[in-house]
Amino acid sequence: MAKYWNKPMETAKLHEMRALQSWRLSQTVRRVYENVPFYRDKMDAAGVKPDDIRGTEDLYRLPFVSKQDLRDTYPYGMFAVPMEDVVRLHASSGTTGKQIVVGYTRSDLDVWSECCARALTAAGGSKSDFMHVSYGYGLFTGGLGMHDGAEKVGMTVIPVSVGNTNRQISIIKDFGSTVICCTPSYALFLAETMQEMGITKDDIKLRAGLFGAEPWTEEMRREIEDKLGLKAYDIYGLTEIIGPGVSFECDEQTGMHINEDHFIVETINPDTGEVLPEGEQGEIVFTCITKEAFPIIRYRTRDIGILSRKECSCGRTLVKMLKPRGRSDDMLIIRGVNVFPSQVESVLLSFGDNAPYYQLIVERVNNLDTLEIKVEMTSSMFSDAVRNIEEHEAAIRNAVESALGIAAKITLVEPKTLTRFEGKAVRVIDNRKLHD
Ligand code: ADP
Ligand code: ZN
């Protein structure tokens, strides 16, 4: 089985990669300057001309692009080719506000499927696999992105999309799916449904899963692996850059390799915009250097991460990004304390006997923020005496308080009462915004 999809690129020496990036960057900057008024105006205002950008070392001179810029130029203001050359549109799922639209030329679709093919190969995928795609098909990039990548690899693609979970399980079983991709929260829901249907992991053939599109924890990874009987790989991407496949895990699973021949990555201090040395935590910024229709420059993802160039046992030299804990705009500030839902998840999962279904509800009562965490009980806990439930709530309360540094009300709720998600999970209800 091939270990790499594109060995020369995945194992290139750093100076070779930099040379390629530099050339591609200078070409891209010239193109956007000539074709996109937004970039011309921004660069003129910053006093930078395309000739000033000769290589990656000049990148810092270019202005950043924010999600707001994409909203301001909605729908096609950032496109760098005539619409006749655009063969596909996608849109962000709009998790954090008005959706944005991106476009792809035929060559862009090729770049994208190449990136996904690398991810699938790194997870051990090959021609002989049956690829079950349970990401949503449609404007969301997950479904079609992974679909095209899997076809490129030559896998037998099963384009199931989201929904009808019982039917999904039957298909996994009857069609003999060996690799699956979906959100990690949906993977857990599939596992739960499978159990209800009386099907065990020995009845199915799944052996690898690529899960992404939302943050997830190591504990969740173990739970998915255990319940579905597969090895779970992380995959990262965002619509603005290309979709899934911007970065992907190898067998070492200590971060996701970034497809650097297509995307230059930087980490910056989110408050000052200052570029940080590799290894320091900061906001991840990407520059597309091979895309034609939507070549975004220095895009601030609002994802917080760390880059690492430590040698990887898989042989890839592509820089790795450590799992983002969440986006800076997923971060809640509760009574002045920064809280990521993923921290709560880690605490809950450390209890082991909790199915990881939970919801954070933030309110403002008399100018004071309150946090309530609803946690779904497992069936075995539910049958326990009430006293045990109270003890359990107290134990979780203490653990949450010491992990987050703020107090929270813990409410255990009956099994299967919290909403299940087929796409990205929505775990936070922030009622404070309603009163602003
Ligand atoms: P939207 O912005 O509307 O949610 P996207 O599908 O483009 O639509 O979402 C991309 C975002 O999803 C990323 O910026 C990141 O915050 C999150 N994300 C994607 N993959 C992962 C992953 N493997 N781990 C953590 N977060 C992820
Ligand atoms: Zn590796």
Side-chain angles (χ1 to χ4, degrees):
M1 201 190 322
K3 194 173 164 194
Y4 310 109
W5 177 254
N6 184 338
K7 191 169 181 204
M9 287 302 160
E10 295 177 62
T11 61
K13 296 207 169 59
L14 182 57
H15 71 272
E16 291 165 356
M17 182 57 79
R18 287 284 186 243
L20 179 67
Q21 287 180 324
S22 292
W23 186 76
R24 288 179 168 176
L25 174 68
S26 62
Q27 300 295 307
T28 304
V29 169
R30 184 167 307 282
R31 236 162 30 77
V32 297
Y33 188 83
E34 281 162 10
N35 298 318
V36 187
F38 168 89
Y39 283 109
R40 193 177 323 131
D41 295 347
K42 265 203 139 176
M43 283 173 60
D44 285 347
V48 199
K49 295 282 173 235
D51 280 344
D52 298 331
I53 309 300
R54 271 164 302 205
T56 50
E57 67 283 2
D58 301 317
L59 190 58
Y60 76 97
R61 303 182 62 176
L62 292 163
F64 292 114
V65 175
S66 68
K67 190 143 194 165
Q68 190 55 46
D69 292 326
L70 304 186
R71 292 189 176 128
D72 294 345
T73 52
Y74 175 89
Y76 305 137
M78 298 286 266
F79 284 30
V81 296
M83 288 312 279
E84 296 92 88
D85 296 338
V86 175
V87 297
R88 175 93 69 78
L89 295 177
H90 277 286
S92 79
S93 47
T95 313
T96 57
K98 182 176 162 184
Q99 67 176 2
I100 54 104
V101 181
V102 299
Y104 303 76
T105 63
R106 220 169 275 290
S107 151
D108 293 336
L109 290 181
D110 256 349
V111 168
W112 190 13
S113 54
E114 156 91 22
C115 292
C116 291
R118 291 183 193 177
L120 287 159
T121 308
S126 73
K127 278 180 181 179
S128 48
D129 278 300
F130 289 79
M131 172 72 183
H132 188 100
V133 182
S134 302
Y135 277 125
Y137 281 63
L139 287 174
F140 174 58
T141 51
L144 283 163
M146 293 305 283
H147 180 111
D148 289 350
E151 269 190 5
K152 186 166 257 182
V153 172
M155 301 166 103
T156 308
V157 187
I158 314 172
V160 196
S161 193
V162 293
N164 202 338
T165 306
N166 285 46
R167 180 169 162 264
Q168 299 241 3
I169 307 278
S170 305
I171 290 174
I172 291 174
K173 187 164 166 282
D174 299 345
F175 293 16
S177 314
T178 54
V179 181
I180 185 169
C181 63
C182 59
T183 59
S185 43
Y186 192 59
L188 277 178
F189 184 38
L190 276 171
E192 185 182 80
T193 310
M194 203 167 91
Q195 206 169 14
E196 277 167 17
M197 289 168 72
I199 295 172
T200 73
K201 58 185 175 188
D202 299 328
D203 300 325
I204 60 170
K205 294 197 180 126
L206 288 179
R207 52 172 193 78
L210 292 90
F211 306 111
E214 63 183 6
W216 48 311
T217 52
E218 281 306 317
E219 292 89 340
M220 205 160 156
R221 181 191 324 251
R222 279 195 290 278
E223 187 156 351
I224 293 171
E225 290 186 331
D226 179 48
K227 291 188 167 160
L228 288 177
L230 48 71
K231 186 164 164 84
Y233 295 82
D234 202 356
I235 179 165
Y236 167 94
L238 62 167
T239 315
E240 296 88 321
I241 302 306
I242 204 158
V246 172
S247 64
F248 59 93
E249 264 184 350
C250 60
D251 275 336
E252 192 179 284
Q253 304 201 317
T254 52
M256 293 178 277
H257 289 287
I258 296 171
N259 283 309
E260 286 186 280
D261 47 330
H262 298 292
F263 317 109
I264 303 179
V265 64
E266 302 167 274
T267 34
I268 61 163
N269 175 326
D271 300 322
T272 62
E274 173 207 357
V275 178
L276 299 172
E278 278 173 1
E280 265 183 47
Q281 173 165 302
E283 180 177 350
I284 299 177
V285 171
F286 287 111
T287 297
C288 298
I289 49 172
T290 49
K291 275 172 71 197
E292 296 177 341
F294 199 86
I296 203 164
I297 308 281
R298 296 197 94 198
Y299 182 64
R300 295 186 58 158
T301 61
R302 298 181 292 179
D303 289 327
I304 304 296
I306 299 177
L307 301 178
S308 161
R309 264 189 210 282
K310 239 194 247 146
E311 201 177 308
C312 190
S313 58
C314 76
R316 287 179 185 77
T317 48
L318 301 170
V319 71
K320 284 196 277 196
M321 55 185 270
L322 304 191
K323 217 170 176 39
R325 277 213 306 184
R327 302 192 239 209
S328 50
D329 51 4
D330 278 343
M331 189 183 76
L332 290 160
I333 303 181
I334 301 173
R335 273 174 264 146
V337 177
N338 298 349
V339 175
F340 282 101
S342 59
Q343 289 174 291
V344 173
E345 187 165 310
S346 289
V347 172
L348 294 179
L349 282 159
S350 70
F351 280 82
D353 51 351
N354 281 315
Y357 287 102
Y358 64 95
Q359 196 172 53
L360 274 59
I361 300 152
V362 192
E363 304 268 4
R364 184 160 292 164
V365 183
N366 298 329
N367 291 318
L368 190 70
D369 297 337
T370 62
L371 169 65
E372 178 182 6
I373 305 174
K374 287 191 179 167
V375 184
E376 204 176 275
M377 288 182 280
T378 55
S379 316
S380 60
M381 276 167 62
F382 187 56
S383 56
D384 281 356
V386 176
R387 212 178 93 76
N388 283 350
I389 289 173
E390 282 172 359
E391 274 172 12
H392 209 80
E393 282 179 347
I396 296 176
R397 189 164 55 240
N398 289 336
V400 165
E401 200 167 327
S402 64
L404 304 186
I406 56 162
K409 179 180 176 205
I410 309 295
T411 312
L412 291 177
V413 299
E414 290 183 30
K416 315 248 156 67
T417 48
L418 295 180
T419 318
R420 302 297 191 252
F421 299 96
E422 292 173 343
K424 293 176 191 246
V426 181
R427 307 224 191 251
V428 179
I429 300 174
D430 193 343
N431 289 322
R432 293 176 299 182
K433 287 184 188 134
L434 302 176
H435 313 304
D436 280 350

